[in-house]
Amino acid sequence: MKLFEYEAKNILTKYKIPTPNGGLATNLNQTRELTTKLKPPLAIKAQVLVAGRGKAGGILFANSTAEAEKAAEKLLKTQIKGIAVKSVWIEEKIQIKKELYFGITTDRFNQSYIVIASTVGGMEIEEIASKTPEKIIRFLINPHSGFHSFHARQIARKMGYAGNQLSELERIFEGLYRAGMDYDAELIEMNPLVETTDGKFVAADARIIVDDNALFRHQEYKNRLLEGESELTPQEAEAMKNDLAYVKLDGNIGVIGNGAGLVMATLDTIQYYGGKPANFLDIGGGAPAEKIATALKIVLSDPKVKALFVNILGGITRCDEVARGILEAKAKVGTTKPMVIRLVGTNEEEGKRILTEAHIHVLESMEEAAQRVVEISKYGGK
Amino acid sequence: MKLFEYEAKNILTKYKIPTPNGGLATNLNQTRELTTKLKPPLAIKAQVLVAGRGKAGGILFANSTAEAEKAAEKLLKTQIKGIAVKSVWIEEKIQIKKELYFGITTDRFNQSYIVIASTVGGMEIEEIASKTPEKIIRFLINPHSGFHSFHARQIARKMGYAGNQLSELERIFEGLYRAGMDYDAELIEMNPLVETTDGKFVAADARIIVDDNALFRHQEYKNRLLEGESELTPQEAEAMKNDLAYVKLDGNIGVIGNGAGLVMATLDTIQYYGGKPANFLDIGGGAPAEKIATALKIVLSDPKVKALFVNILGGITRCDEVARGILEAKAKVGTTKPMVIRLVGTNEEEGKRILTEAHIHVLESMEEAAQRVVEISKYGGK
Amino acid sequence: MVVIIDEKTRAIVQGITGAQGSFHTKLMLEYGTKIVAGVTPGKGGTKIYDLPVYDTVEEAQEKHSANASIIFVPAPFAADAALEALENGIKTIVIITEHIPIKDAVNVMAHAKKVGATIIGPNTPGIITPEKSKLGIMPAHIFKFGSIGIVSRSGTLTYEIAASLTRKNLGQSTCLGLGGDPITGLNFIDTLKMFEKDTQTKAVVLIGEIGGNLEELAAEYIMREKYPKPVIAFIAGRSAPPGKRMGHAGAIIMGKAGTAESKIEKFQSAGVKVAEKPGDVAELLAKLAI
Amino acid sequence: MVVIIDEKTRAIVQGITGAQGSFHTKLMLEYGTKIVAGVTPGKGGTKIYDLPVYDTVEEAQEKHSANASIIFVPAPFAADAALEALENGIKTIVIITEHIPIKDAVNVMAHAKKVGATIIGPNTPGIITPEKSKLGIMPAHIFKFGSIGIVSRSGTLTYEIAASLTRKNLGQSTCLGLGGDPITGLNFIDTLKMFEKDTQTKAVVLIGEIGGNLEELAAEYIMREKYPKPVIAFIAGRSAPPGKRMGHAGAIIMGKAGTAESKIEKFQSAGVKVAEKPGDVAELLAKLAI
């Protein structure tokens, strides 16, 4: 779960990591109240989770309070990459001497957390890594001993800092580690971490992605997520509520399957045959009929969907349950959109019988079914 | 630093460990407010840190609200072992089926924390250990892996519990461990942890001793300690403020020395020669003259002190500083109490010179000095 | 020889009384897996399928000395269960549970490393040595004993491919799911090493997906070590857009390593044939004529 | 041979620029200890007594490869400093700092055990091999080289006894303070083992105090192992009342083990002579005629 910039900065502040003076505003009154407390020049930043917010016009600058109010007003009426701006973060611009990068994420191969730091910051870390690989410092955190102040000092030294600056970075790095651990962050980064013209350090932007699987330990964010404050499509919100893994894509073939790998391979196969998937939807393992019906309803509620592909390889999931779910959904939604069903595995015969009796044709080969649905999406159903 | 029962119980509650319904009262109004909310029979417990509070009359029981108010009123006017009762904890009596013990403390030899549990509780753990050693369960906590829920289950099983009771104890034990770690407890115990007649568990009494050296991480208690809410004598409070290790004893010979071991050995030697030390006071290493002067003032302010023994073996501590401190204190306090000074080590000559010029005699042998001060304490000075 | 488990494996089931745990215990018993006991805290003293259930692994071990465990415990408690198995001397642990927090998984893996234990999963279908033993939840009837080793990051996709192999009479030595999470016990390289040593295994099918760089590292390993057995790869997620998580906690593209292109390219330059569709794997294997 | 440190020991000083650190570095250098560098975060690049000061132990080690460290860092940061030394390969660490929280000390000791390092302290005067090397804060002039090993839980009391030995011409092989805290690196048994192996040491003086059961365990060890060298003990705190902490965090009587009587009794039944006053130690040693 991606946190908003203001949420991330509030967390950093809690861990005594300096951030620019600033605050959140959702309307004009709040904007006015805020700007009187802040010293221009100011930055006004749309609180949206889309990548490339800056380039998409989501960050404005103002040299006066009046200008800042105008900028905030403008942003609060705008959409950034299709997402309505509900709040803006207004903060004092800082005097940049140098932009650094410091982040902590997971290292799959080493089964641990890893610090990535660089004396080049302000762009995506992947970009830094490809442009100036020699400036990337990687520090693997030993899960037994954790990340200590002295590790922070070692990194600060490798970044070329000494004296008070080294001690200041020590506190910031160590604080970020604790914040990351306490909030179950799968990614926590300061980018840029700015060295100011007077030699201080300020986290000018911060990003935190909380491990979805750990949200049970962070009820405040779980609630925020469920309240729909984040930027989910209606389908995504409905899927989340029903514990279905759904991702909206650009095409017109609705896809439902069991197991993330199988669904991904289904999308790939559709694409291989020239079709365009409208979504990813994994019903997970052992889904009962009602859950499958919900999945169908979600996918069919997307107006872009022209045809539906249900691809089930029954292991824990029972084909008869899937068949019943399909009929249930059909009855409730009353859809006339064409469906291609591929159903093999546990209780396959019973599933096929149920569907065949309802005049729904069932295929056995994934490839064949994919070809069929692509055809339909292009030229219409039979 | 010993916490009061109410502080310990509030911490337990924070970690979702059941304690009897109850609350704190410092006056009659609060007592009335409390008792209306609680269901008799009630226990009214003086909030003092002295050992053996129960036997000393610090715990009363009441079968009605009126009785409870009377009991609280009485306790709030009482002294328990010389300590005025400033507050009482009033709680509902619980139906006891069995009293258990569960505590976590440090294991010096294994350099770790250790769980001590027993199906016999309600008395001092040392007493349990000597009366029913076979009923003591010791579980060493591996500092690398910590104490996990499954460890708690293993202990609960060894205590003879199963089913829901096992799961309930799991939560309580694991919670107590987290509380102990989070609060830097050198001892945290539930004694008794009561199994109620309906098979639930309630921490009927709780004791937490916070590691003094970790108080910098627990400012709330550090402040409480300094505010003198705890039961320090004036000398102890003054010593604490000045970072001197002072312990009041029963005799009449004031003792000041550098280094805990040396001061203890000094007390022992005084006792060996038939004298009675009035206190333990360790000025620590490298104390400057002012600190030594403060130490003298503290010891001399105790009216029971008849004679003073200053025993310094200068290592980091400089004898000339000690000498100057003695003169400073003498001048300010204007004492006429006899002093025996033993002064050897770093800058010994200069220290002796300073004192000799002020007509204070200095001895070299600790034994000789101890004999001399015992004599004076018994038969008066020269 | 086969990999990790065989007929002699004596396993306990942690979380045996839950819906998933009991259901799959039955299937595993039917398949011939030697399940010796179950553990569910609070259910100690009961029985299920004639197996004794204990409150703690400690007690189960005192009485049964198992050498493997399969974990169905719910996510918030699964790491504790794994640590319990580790501390009680169990050296092979299959964690079926999905949605375990990363921080918990990191902790479990660190302890496993310290004591030299093998963790399969979390979020894995488990491991099967067809017709001999299975510690997992895969539908057993689609597998057949033979000489192809399968290692995968995904469940049903493995079944899809294994079933198509079985249909073409290409039996399997061992099929193992690493797990779909970002932090798993085994990685592709660990498993390639096991298959290398296993005389039963003649070729390896490696089923990867987008996210992470474990496939890239495996490709580098194959190239660097001149891996002696043929490897066929399939990568799911060619059509996945970056930044979107595709079901598995691991399946998200962040950065270049992690894309299907990156993985496919690396495999191809290591001489590993990459199937374009799941169905193509069997055909590529058939061409090896092993 | 002498115990733990000798002329070849190459030490760094962590917290070298502080009042205590710099003062004692000077004294150690004067005594002949090979101090090769200092570490104080934020002071890197400066010099003190011609010694280079670094921000991190890592850098100091890159340039000097020390094998010991003595730590004067303030209590809240001392555990971090010790872990830093451990992680950078230093196997002998003397922690002078007092008032380190128990939880931090437990953590440091666990890591030291894992890497096989020796920790002396915390809250110790350190270790001295008279006339050869000292890593500590003891006044050196009261010591004299010889054949008595001293191990103690207390600082000035050790000086008191060492000085009285020196006055009677009973020189010392090595004097070592375990530290006055509840959790320390070495215990009496560890040190007795070292003195047993050390051919220079002919007899051992063991200076204990109330609190804990390390003295009792040492007495049991001496009895059980029939410790081959004579041991003389002194226990401080005979007159201490229970429940009151006597200065040292360790010196508090809780329970029966922990009282002076318990310790004295155990030593006596192990055949260890116990001095009644500090001054008696030298006399008891003299009677041994070693």
Side-chain angles (χ1 to χ4, degrees), chain D residues 81-91 93 108 111-112 115 117 119:
Chain D
L83 293 172
E84 183 177 7
L86 286 169
E87 199 171 297
N88 284 286
I90 294 180
K91 298 287 188 213
I93 300 170
V108 168
H111 278 87
V115 300
I119 307 265

Side-chain angles (χ1 to χ4, degrees), chain B residues 91-254:
Chain B
E91 66 184 18
E92 295 176 2
K93 272 185 81 178
I94 42 179
Q95 297 303 310
I96 298 175
K97 184 177 167 194
K98 200 170 183 182
E99 291 187 317
L100 315 171
Y101 176 92
F102 188 93
I104 302 172
T105 183
T106 51
D107 181 320
R108 287 155 191 252
F109 186 73
N110 291 296
Q111 304 166 324
S112 186
Y113 291 93
I114 188 166
V115 171
I116 296 173
S118 178
T119 49
V120 173
M123 48 186 151
E124 290 285 310
I125 184 64
E126 288 86 4
E127 209 180 331
I128 306 169
S130 71
K131 280 192 187 164
T132 51
E134 73 285 358
K135 288 199 172 142
I136 295 264
I137 297 163
R138 283 166 210 276
F139 178 86
L140 196 69
I141 298 173
N142 179 326
H144 281 299
S145 46
F147 184 78
H148 294 278
S149 301
F150 74 89
H151 294 128
R153 292 195 294 272
Q154 290 177 358
I155 293 167
R157 178 174 81 87
K158 288 190 181 117
M159 291 172 85
Y161 290 98
N164 287 339
Q165 286 193 309
L166 180 122
S167 304
E168 189 51 33
L169 286 177
E170 170 193 325
R171 276 188 290 279
I172 291 172
F173 294 170
E174 203 267 336
L176 198 83
Y177 170 74
R178 281 190 293 113
M181 288 300 113
D182 291 353
Y183 283 89
D184 275 289
E186 57 181 70
L187 173 73
I188 182 166
E189 64 180 19
M190 304 179 283
N191 188 20
L193 170 65
V194 166
E195 182 187 355
T196 61
T197 44
D198 56 351
K200 302 253 186 293
F201 297 96
V202 180
D205 200 358
R207 193 151 69 121
I208 298 178
I209 302 179
V210 175
D211 178 1
D212 287 340
N213 290 338
L215 283 177
F216 70 90
R217 291 198 279 243
H218 307 282
Q219 213 56 47
E220 69 277 31
Y221 294 112
K222 187 160 193 180
N223 294 341
R224 201 272 269 149
L225 193 69
L226 290 175
E227 279 164 18
E229 278 191 71
S230 84
E231 295 138 359
L232 300 174
T233 63
Q235 285 84 13
E236 283 169 341
E238 188 65 19
M240 177 169 287
K241 240 188 274 167
N242 288 283
D243 205 20
L244 293 162
Y246 173 92
V247 181
K248 177 88 187 81
L249 300 170
D250 285 335
N252 57 9
I253 301 174

Side-chain angles (χ1 to χ4, degrees), chain C residues 99-141:
Chain C
H99 300 310
I100 296 179
I102 293 173
K103 196 166 70 177
D104 299 8
V106 164
N107 190 22
V108 168
M109 301 317 155
H111 278 87
K113 242 183 229 174
K114 202 167 67 172
V115 299
T118 299
I119 306 264
I120 300 173
N123 191 11
T124 173
I127 180 169
I128 184 168
T129 294
E131 297 162 35
K132 295 201 168 20
S133 183
K134 83 164 182 172
L135 276 179
I137 59 170
M138 56 285 277
H141 64 276

